[in-house]
Amino acid sequence: APTVSSFPLLGALGDDGSVPPVEVGGPASQSEYIGDGIINPHPRFGTLTANIRQRRGTKVNIKVPLFRDHDTPEFKDFGAVQSGSIDGCCGSDAQRLWRYGKGDACEEEHGKGYVTVGCSTTSLDEANDESTGMPTMQKWLVNVQCAGCKGLFYRSAPHVIVPDADWPRNGDVVIGYEIPDTPGWIRLQNGYYLPMHSDDGSVQFLHKVSQRAQAQNAEMKRIGSSTPVFLAKGNETEDVASLLGGTVAVLEPDASGDSEEQSDAVNGSKHKEVLRAAVHMDAMAFGMGCCCLQITFQAKDIEESRFIFDQLNVMAPIMMALTASTPILKGRLLDTDARWGIISESVDDRTPAERGRVDPDAPYDYYNAHGQRRVYKSRYDSISTYIYQGVMARGQDTGGLANRVLNIYNDIPLEIDEESYQELRKAGVDPALSQHLAHLFIRDPLVVFNGAVEEVDDGTQTEHFESIQSTNWQTVRWKPPPPRNNPNAPHIGWRTEFRSMEIQLTDFENAAFAVFIVLLQRTILTFDLNLYIPISRVDANMQRAHSRNSAAKGKFFFRRHLAPLEEGDDGYGVKYVSMFEKAAIGDYGGSFNGQEDEEDEDGVSYNRRTAPTAPGSEEENAFEEMTMEEIMCGKGNYFPGLIPLVRAYLDHIGADSASMERLNTYLDFIERRAIGELVTPATWIRNFVRSHPEYKNDSYVSDEIAYDLMVACKEIGEGTRHVPELLGDVKIRPITTDGAYQTKLDSKRVTNQRIMQLLQRYTRRQSVFDVDFSSDLAKFADLDADSDSNTARSNAEIGS
């Protein structure tokens, strides 16, 4: 069978959509397009389908932008294609963005047949554009105007003062967000809380200010208000002194729309939000019926697993775009290339109130927070917080910081279950990990089995935890070890699962990407690389990664400097130069700031421990927009590219020639796809449909086209059809049944005498015989570079 992300006609065939035919609808899904009979018969999956629908209060609402071709009937009443061509996108080099999971307002105004989409512009426009549906934290000026008041004490929870912590004084700037279900309070980036005003509302404590405002005192820089999360406009900044002097207005809600943020949004990207026809789907099966490529890494300890979790989060949208393979669903060509948002909407069980809509049925007696807590993402989405705590960078006092989140790249609101957070903190779990776990527990369980509630001992089993953990489907998943029920049980350590990649048409492609992400993970650890960018920019990348042909034409936010910067002088003042830039110009002497070899007692480097608080540069933003080619192959002399870094790692470990031959084939293939010489499976599938003689330029994928597409995909995967635009000069060795299954894996018991004979034969391999025996085996090790069927793993999303 072909390894495709999804069956192109799912939900388009009515009662004839399966063999044998299944009647559309049923009590679990209540779908208009598919029948319950296609759901896996295990009770978990039908229960998931029904419970998601029931908790949400309606059927799930999946609306994906429809691809607009010359004769697509849904667009007959639309004006001329805005970009001037079918393949254009928003004009210039911008990408059309599907705001998945954020379409309620469009649904209320236009119905299920339409979806509002946007266009990528500049990072400043996207950060200030509320239409993106991606909220970020705000900056607040502390200015307590009462006799003798010098500032505010931090709170560990609303109304719970922390008197022994350092605290923000009048004139300081803090970073945080308003808590919708606790009016009058903000939760800070560092995990503490502050009141916005006095109890009676007569004295305002906090004032929202421009995101360009930067604290000038060293204390606030130390605790995180000087941060790369918020972008400067050019080289301008607004200091606190000018804010207090009144020369820069404090931002207040302005009905006239004249505030800077509002005008940026209007003049930047907001006016480019447009209405598009949508492909509508209404059941979990449309998303969870997709397939993907997932890799799980075991770390040496808990801290390494947390660090690699953060780093791989940044790579999730990049690798999804590079492996995109989902341009068709429900018999229609989509204007997107990837599956993630489809699955996100297919399991979105948030109540209307949790989605920020009017909810006449709230509160709900048995829901978490009564179903009224504002929740910004579906339970299947990108992560919302980094989890590696780290330490403060050199020269910054670390006293009094043990009780706060240090990572300066967490810049989006993070909903947490306060009771869970406090319980974890009392148990000694650090703030960064506590808030991650407390965020998981804002969700309700979706499946509970009879006999597995009170009967489960939480002191020795993790079944209740996994019930929540396994239904928080995120781009990266942090996986604690399961309990060992006896001394002989296998030891499974701290793991990180990478979940965003799309399934490919061939085993070779799947193996190439599986191997690449493994090697990249080892490269990051070995070379002490730092990929941190603000989480809001990772979320922006997730939207961009869905865009049609984003691997070839898109741009993504990525960290400029993967290694620490060295301060120097270029004759005009301070100049910061990266290790890679110095190496490129031949000016690297083998040490960097005297910190290269500094390690703690666990062998963890200083650079890794300070990565969450390393701003990237004092003179410019820590990140910028890069093309896929630049991310993978390098940009300028300051960013070497991920593929050259992986090659350097292989050189460092002294990989043998046989392995290098295979690995170079993989890396060459990925490089050619990154620079656009080879297309993604999504682009190839789209081109196949549009060039089919039966295609009517109407965005419909007919039965005949779908059949021919599946046959072609099968032939590509089995090596009987070569597609150079997809694979280049890589030839897939044909997969046949010749010689298969001739030797059964017999389990019939043998005599002890036979066992001894076999053992004696193979213990002889320690002698000269071993050389000859190994040489004979080597003949079979020289496999064709394309037979990689045992090296890649393809998982259906639903079982993960």
Side-chain angles (χ1 to χ4, degrees):
T3 53
V4 293
S5 177
S6 63
F7 178 57
L9 298 185
L10 179 66
L13 300 174
D15 293 345
D16 294 327
S18 63
V19 180
V22 171
E23 184 178 354
V24 167
S29 68
Q30 299 184 7
S31 173
E32 299 176 32
Y33 311 116
I34 59 102
D36 284 1
I38 72 168
I39 300 174
N40 188 304
H42 190 285
R44 167 182 169 88
F45 305 115
T47 304
L48 275 172
T49 302
N51 286 355
I52 288 169
R53 174 180 53 76
Q54 291 171 4
R55 190 186 189 282
R56 178 184 174 90
T58 63
K59 291 184 292 185
V60 294
N61 187 29
I62 311 163
K63 296 195 300 181
V64 188
L66 174 65
F67 175 70
R68 179 176 183 174
D69 216 331
H70 296 285
D71 298 317
T72 305
E74 289 86 347
F75 288 100
K76 65 180 180 179
D77 295 328
F78 281 66
V81 179
Q82 294 180 5
S83 60
S85 73
I86 295 299
D87 292 318
C89 184
C90 303
S92 69
D93 61 350
Q95 299 168 258
R96 191 172 300 287
L97 302 179
W98 172 36
R99 317 289 194 190
Y100 66 91
K102 303 171 177 67
D104 286 303
C106 177
E107 171 85 5
E108 293 163 4
E109 183 176 356
H110 301 288
K112 67 182 182 182
Y114 299 92
V115 62
T116 304
V117 298
C119 297
S120 67
T121 50
T122 68
S123 57
L124 182 64
D125 288 333
E126 288 194 8
N128 292 330
D129 185 359
E130 293 182 359
S131 66
T132 64
M134 296 188 298
T136 58
M137 295 186 186
Q138 301 293 321
K139 287 194 172 183
W140 306 81
L141 172 68
V142 179
N143 189 17
V144 183
Q145 296 180 348
C146 62
C149 297
K150 298 182 179 180
L152 290 169
F153 282 125
Y154 283 128
R155 273 73 165 172
S156 59
H159 308 291
V160 182
I161 291 177
V162 184
D164 57 342
D166 50 14
W167 44 277
R169 278 70 169 173
N170 286 342
D172 287 339
V173 172
V174 295
I175 299 171
Y177 59 93
E178 295 182 65
I179 311 172
D181 50 328
T182 311
W185 288 85
I186 68 169
R187 188 170 192 268
L188 300 176
Q189 183 187 53
N190 62 23
Y192 283 137
Y193 297 80
L194 286 178
M196 299 174 65
H197 48 68
S198 59
D199 291 342
D200 60 5
S202 61
V203 180
Q204 192 74 18
F205 298 158
L206 302 176
H207 309 266
K208 189 182 296 186
V209 296
S210 168
Q211 292 186 350
R212 302 203 313 272
Q214 298 287 342
Q216 297 303 299
N217 66 77
E219 170 67 10
M220 291 310 296
K221 286 187 177 182
R222 177 175 75 88
I223 59 178
S225 72
S226 180
T227 168
V229 167
F230 300 100
L231 304 175
K233 192 173 184 179
N235 292 321
E236 300 177 19
T237 60
E238 297 168 358
D239 59 30
V240 174
S242 65
L243 286 173
L244 289 175
T247 58
V248 177
V250 174
L251 294 180
E252 300 290 351
D254 186 353
S256 67
D258 291 335
S259 75
E260 182 174 2
E261 270 73 8
Q262 289 170 328
S263 63
D264 275 342
V266 171
N267 296 325
S269 61
K270 192 169 185 177
H271 73 286
K272 295 181 181 178
E273 296 288 317
V274 295
L275 194 67
R276 303 285 290 187
V279 179
H280 179 255
M281 293 159 280
D282 65 354
M284 174 179 161
F286 287 104
M288 287 298 200
C290 294
C291 296
C292 72
L293 182 66
Q294 297 176 355
I295 309 294
T296 297
F297 306 95
Q298 180 160 307
K300 72 174 184 179
D301 54 33
I302 182 174
E303 290 304 306
E304 183 177 281
S305 70
R306 293 169 62 179
F307 179 75
I308 208 63
F309 173 95
D310 288 1
Q311 304 302 300
L312 291 181
N313 169 59
V314 178
M315 290 302 303
I318 308 302
M319 297 307 296
M320 186 176 78
L322 198 57
T323 58
S325 64
T326 318
I328 303 173
L329 268 178
K330 205 182 156 202
R332 306 302 300 273
L333 281 175
L334 308 177
D335 204 34
T336 57
D337 276 359
R339 80 202 186 284
W340 192 270
I342 300 163
I343 313 172
S344 180
E345 293 192 340
S346 79
V347 295
D348 189 354
D349 69 338
R350 292 175 296 166
T351 67
E354 290 171 335
R355 303 196 305 272
R357 317 310 298 172
V358 175
D359 191 349
D361 296 325
Y364 302 86
D365 291 341
Y366 302 107
Y367 289 2
N368 196 320
H370 302 292
Q372 294 180 290
R373 179 195 288 116
R374 183 69 171 93
V375 179
Y376 291 101
K377 294 182 180 181
S378 165
R379 62 196 303 153
Y380 196 115
D381 215 315
S382 53
I383 73 167
S384 295
T385 182
Y386 292 115
I387 67 173
Y388 184 61
Q389 175 77 341
V391 299
M392 296 301 293
R394 185 184 300 276
Q396 302 187 65
D397 180 20
T398 59
L401 300 181
N403 293 318
R404 70 185 62 184
V405 178
L406 301 181
N407 199 309
I408 61 177
Y409 295 93
N410 288 324
D411 71 322
I412 64 174
L414 182 70
E415 316 89 332
I416 63 170
D417 180 73
E418 190 64 45
E419 183 179 348
S420 298
Y421 181 77
Q422 297 302 332
E423 183 176 353
L424 289 159
R425 292 293 294 121
K426 290 176 182 177
V429 180
D430 65 67
L433 188 54
S434 292
Q435 71 174 16
H436 164 69
L437 294 169
H439 176 64
L440 299 182
F441 278 84
I442 67 171
R443 312 289 181 177
D444 284 319
L446 286 177
V447 178
V448 178
F449 292 99
N450 288 332
V453 184
E454 295 179 351
E455 297 84 352
V456 174
D457 180 4
D458 289 330
T460 60
Q461 297 173 277
T462 58
E463 189 169 335
H464 288 158
F465 169 75
E466 292 297 340
S467 175
I468 296 294
Q469 158 94 332
S470 65
T471 54
N472 273 271
W473 299 280
Q474 298 178 331
T475 44
V476 189
R477 178 180 283 159
W478 183 70
K479 305 175 77 168
R484 299 179 71 188
N485 295 324
N486 64 75
N488 296 321
H491 172 69
I492 300 175
W494 301 92
R495 295 152 294 152
T496 300
E497 183 181 26
F498 188 67
R499 301 170 46 82
S500 68
M501 292 191 291
E502 304 244 305
I503 198 72
Q504 307 295 285
L505 295 180
T506 67
D507 291 339
F508 169 79
E509 295 166 277
N510 288 319
F513 287 109
V515 168
F516 174 76
I517 202 66
V518 169
L519 291 175
L520 179 62
Q521 179 249 6
R522 303 313 299 174
T523 302
I524 291 169
L525 293 173
T526 304
F527 289 174
D528 267 343
L529 302 183
N530 178 0
L531 274 60
Y532 278 117
I533 62 174
I535 280 193
S536 66
R537 300 303 88 202
V538 179
D539 285 351
N541 283 346
M542 282 298 292
Q543 290 191 353
R544 294 180 175 204
H546 283 81
S547 300
R548 180 159 37 92
N549 205 16
S550 63
K553 297 183 178 180
K555 289 186 177 181
F556 303 89
F557 299 108
F558 212 78
R559 190 176 181 89
R560 290 170 49 81
H561 302 295
L562 303 184
L565 298 177
E566 183 177 64
E567 183 175 322
D569 192 328
D570 64 355
Y572 299 93
V574 175
K575 176 71 173 179
Y576 294 89
V577 183
S578 76
M579 174 175 69
F580 298 122
E581 188 171 358
K582 291 174 72 72
I585 62 176
D587 189 33
Y588 182 58
S591 64
F592 206 70
N593 285 341
Q595 302 168 14
E596 180 179 303
D597 298 322
E598 184 177 329
E599 296 180 349
D600 65 9
E601 62 274 11
D602 296 320
V604 179
S605 73
Y606 168 82
N607 290 338
R608 185 190 302 177
R609 287 181 286 121
T610 57
T613 62
S617 175
E618 292 292 336
E619 61 182 8
E620 58 193 344
N621 296 323
F623 58 92
E624 64 180 63
E625 290 181 299
M626 296 187 191
T627 65
M628 186 67 73
E629 178 178 1
E630 290 167 340
I631 292 171
M632 288 293 169
C633 303
K635 182 176 183 179
N637 57 13
Y638 61 90
F639 184 82
L642 300 181
I643 292 176
L645 284 167
V646 168
R647 293 186 190 276
Y649 167 75
L650 291 170
D651 188 11
H652 163 70
I653 65 173
D656 63 271
S657 58
S659 298
M660 283 303 302
E661 183 178 359
R662 174 65 58 84
L663 295 174
N664 279 327
T665 303
Y666 292 156
L667 295 175
D668 291 344
F669 162 74
I670 294 173
E671 183 174 323
R672 293 186 65 188
R673 183 177 286 187
I675 66 179
E677 288 185 12
L678 302 178
V679 300
T680 62
T683 296
W684 182 85
I685 290 171
R686 188 186 305 277
N687 292 342
F688 180 94
V689 171
R690 296 187 70 199
S691 62
H692 194 282
E694 295 299 315
Y695 180 64
K696 308 300 183 184
N697 298 318
D698 56 2
S699 307
Y700 276 97
V701 180
S702 67
D703 290 8
E704 183 176 352
I705 296 172
Y707 176 81
D708 291 344
L709 173 63
M710 291 296 96
V711 169
C713 291
K714 177 177 180 291
E715 291 173 349
I716 292 171
E718 293 179 348
T720 59
R721 176 189 292 217
H722 179 59
V723 184
E725 64 268 30
L726 184 67
L727 296 170
D729 55 2
V730 173
K731 301 292 178 62
I732 304 300
R733 183 176 179 178
I735 299 173
T736 69
T737 59
D738 296 341
Y741 314 119
Q742 293 180 355
T743 302
K744 296 190 298 181
L745 295 177
D746 199 355
S747 60
K748 184 178 179 181
R749 191 185 184 283
V750 299
T751 64
N752 290 341
Q753 182 179 3
R754 177 59 175 159
I755 294 174
M756 294 304 297
Q757 289 174 345
L758 291 168
L759 287 174
Q760 289 174 358
R761 175 184 300 179
Y762 287 96
T763 54
R764 291 177 57 199
R765 292 179 61 189
Q766 299 174 14
S767 65
V768 178
F769 168 78
D770 181 49
V771 178
D772 298 331
F773 186 82
S774 299
S775 299
D776 290 336
L777 285 179
K779 298 175 183 178
F780 301 98
D782 187 20
L783 300 177
D784 187 274
D786 311 308
S787 59
D788 299 273
S789 57
N790 292 324
T791 60
R793 178 169 66 95
S794 154
N795 287 339
E797 296 275 6
I798 185 106
S800 305

